[in-house]
Amino acid sequence: MNVAPLPAPAFAELARTSSAPAGLTLLRSALHTRRLLLLKALLVRVHGQREAVEPGALGRFERSWDLLERVERGHPAVVRDVLDYPMTGVWLATVLAEPAGPGFDRLLARLDMVSLTAALRCGGPLDLTVENPDGLLSLPGVGRLRVAADRVRISADDRTVRFHPDGARHPAPAVLTLVDRRHGVLAGRGPDWSPVRPLPRGTARLDDLDPYRVPVGAAGGSVGTAADHDDIDHAAWSARWHAAHELLAYTDPGRAVEVTRSVRVIVPLVPRGSRHRGATLSAAPGAVLTSLPDGAQGMAETLVHELHHSKLATLHEIVPLYGPGRDAVHQVGWRPDLRPIAGVLHGAYAHLALADLWRRAATVDGVRKSWRSDAGQQFDELHDQVGEALAILLESDELTPEGREFAEQMRRHHASLGAAPLAAG
């Protein structure tokens, strides 16, 4: 990826799981660069395979591309926000991996919704018609409209958006309103409109609507099953998120700010039996996929753990930390199955961040006694497990020179946390 060289201090801070702003700013910049490269790769592929793309799908793609370019010229920040939305990344990864054919043509249609969302969030006159084969218009990061029509005409002025099924003169009852032009915030109303709901304290959203919130096919099965919008207790999720932020803000204020700035989306998953599920997608940094954790403590730990998987995945795109996959696998303390070196590094990094959090929770005055005791016990156990994983990493020949330096910085932070037992709390 063509990005600016990574400053050594920022690299070291990231390796030490620091929440310092410089590292987060760099990762956000790298994410956007990556998103633009993938979008350009899609354009190059479509133009290179024009004869293989169904003419109607090709025409819609080119119209959507032109609309996105026009909006970007006047409102680059809004277009960037839409392109960097985590689920846009999942769509791009999915369509680029799809072989030529009807499936590829269907996936191309998502650009309609990406460009339309950007245009509507910027305001101004608009009059266009989009295909709607599934009866659902899904605007990334905004919401979803049910329309029983194969084609929908969308008309907008500076503030209001209306939808006309099959081009009907009279619009559907759902209406979108631009309520904050500066930030491109749309609000909707109507019986068939479902919003992507905001979470308290920041700009994160609970997205239980986007069709790409969990990858389709085999990749999605390894992550879990997306919870259905109608089955979700949105008040419970908001309360759990808010309580987790309160806990983090008291225990580790820097980490609380990092979560607020870096986690854009929570995607609810269906729990697997009594087990909690948490996951991230390398194609969707900033999204945390999780079943509803138990209490504020469980949510706080999930956010920190999954955020560090996202951070590492984005960093690896800038500076490769390990080489292509090999057959070597290793035993780690936190999982029963053997892990490749990438899995060892990811697990060690996410658990090092948790060890840092638990150390603070076990030593900060005023943290409630139940979490303080539990955090001390978990720190004692995980500190040893991370140490064993770091030994594997530092002895491996699968890390790049940068990866070895990254592991060494992790080792130094691990040592700084200390090995004195904390279980007494």
Side-chain angles (χ1 to χ4, degrees), residues 338-362:
L338 298 176
R339 306 296 290 156
I341 203 68
V344 177
L345 180 59
H346 263 276
Y349 187 61
H351 284 97
L352 180 60
L354 279 182
D356 185 300
L357 176 68
W358 286 331
R359 175 79 188 191
R360 295 170 190 270

Side-chain angles (χ1 to χ4, degrees), residues 49-411:
Q49 301 178 352
R50 296 179 67 91
E51 300 303 320
V53 180
E54 191 271 327
L58 178 62
R60 290 192 297 274
F61 176 84
E62 292 181 335
R63 287 193 296 273
S64 295
W65 187 279
D66 289 344
L67 175 61
L68 194 63
E69 283 190 329
R70 290 199 306 273
V71 175
E72 198 275 339
R73 285 193 289 269
H75 305 273
V78 171
V79 171
R80 175 173 182 158
D81 195 56
V82 175
L83 292 181
D84 291 355
Y85 191 66
M87 277 62 260
T88 303
V90 179
W91 164 67
L92 279 168
T94 303
V95 67
L96 285 168
E98 183 72 16
F104 180 74
D105 295 348
R106 284 193 298 271
L107 289 169
L108 279 183
R110 182 62 176 170
L111 188 63
D112 285 354
M113 296 297 102
V114 172
S115 60
L116 175 63
T117 300
L120 295 180
R121 286 184 54 185
C122 293
L126 185 70
D127 194 334
L128 57 81
T129 299
V130 297
E131 302 295 321
N132 186 45
D134 299 325
L136 296 171
L137 289 179
S138 176
L139 307 180
V142 179
R144 184 181 70 188
L145 178 67
R146 291 187 179 275
V147 187
D150 293 333
R151 291 164 59 85
V152 180
R153 176 174 160 253
I154 299 160
S155 61
D157 54 28
D158 286 344
R159 190 167 180 269
T160 304
V161 184
R162 301 186 185 279
F163 303 90
H164 304 256
D166 287 323
R169 180 177 178 181
H170 298 291
V175 174
L176 295 184
T177 304
L178 187 61
V179 295
D180 182 345
R181 182 177 296 277
R182 180 181 176 188
H183 298 101
V185 178
L186 289 165
R189 66 180 187 274
D192 296 316
W193 172 254
S194 300
V196 173
R197 295 173 184 259
L199 291 165
R201 298 180 67 113
T203 59
R205 295 182 172 273
L206 186 73
D207 196 335
D208 52 2
L209 296 169
D210 197 289
Y212 293 93
R213 63 193 186 276
V214 172
V216 297
S222 64
V223 171
T225 303
D228 187 80
H229 172 77
D230 294 332
D231 297 332
I232 291 172
D233 184 342
H234 294 91
W237 279 90
S238 290
R240 200 69 44 89
W241 168 270
H242 183 270
H245 270 271
E246 292 282 319
L247 192 60
L248 284 174
Y250 190 88
T251 307
D252 187 349
R255 195 73 73 195
V257 172
E258 178 184 43
V259 168
T260 299
R261 294 182 63 195
S262 302
V263 177
R264 290 194 62 181
V265 175
I266 297 293
V267 175
L269 296 179
V270 175
R272 183 171 292 177
S274 59
R275 292 177 53 199
H276 167 257
R277 292 188 61 82
T280 52
L281 302 170
S282 60
V288 172
L289 290 73
T290 179
S291 55
L292 185 63
D294 291 331
Q297 174 184 331
M299 177 64 92
E301 292 170 356
T302 296
L303 292 172
V304 171
H305 182 269
E306 299 302 340
L307 174 57
H308 281 77
H309 282 303
S310 269
K311 287 168 66 175
L312 189 62
T314 304
L315 180 64
H316 181 62
E317 294 283 354
I318 311 170
V319 181
L321 302 174
Y322 47 86
R326 301 186 190 176
D327 294 334
V329 289
H330 311 273
Q331 186 68 61
V332 293
W334 53 83
R335 287 184 64 139
D337 54 331
L338 298 176
R339 306 296 290 156
I341 203 68
V344 177
L345 180 59
H346 263 276
Y349 187 61
H351 284 97
L352 180 60
L354 279 182
D356 185 300
L357 176 68
W358 286 331
R359 175 79 188 191
R360 295 170 190 270
T363 56
V364 171
D365 290 336
V367 172
R368 65 173 180 262
K369 186 175 181 180
S370 60
W371 194 31
R372 186 168 186 161
S373 176
D374 187 41
Q377 294 172 3
Q378 292 189 79
F379 173 86
D380 288 341
E381 179 180 358
L382 195 59
H383 189 269
D384 291 341
Q385 294 177 353
V386 171
E388 293 168 359
L390 286 169
I392 293 171
L393 292 168
L394 290 168
E395 292 171 5
S396 173
D397 63 355
E398 297 181 74
L399 297 182
T400 63
E402 294 81 6
R404 183 168 296 279
E405 173 61 21
F406 192 81
E408 174 59 28
Q409 292 290 347
M410 288 173 61
R411 185 199 65 76

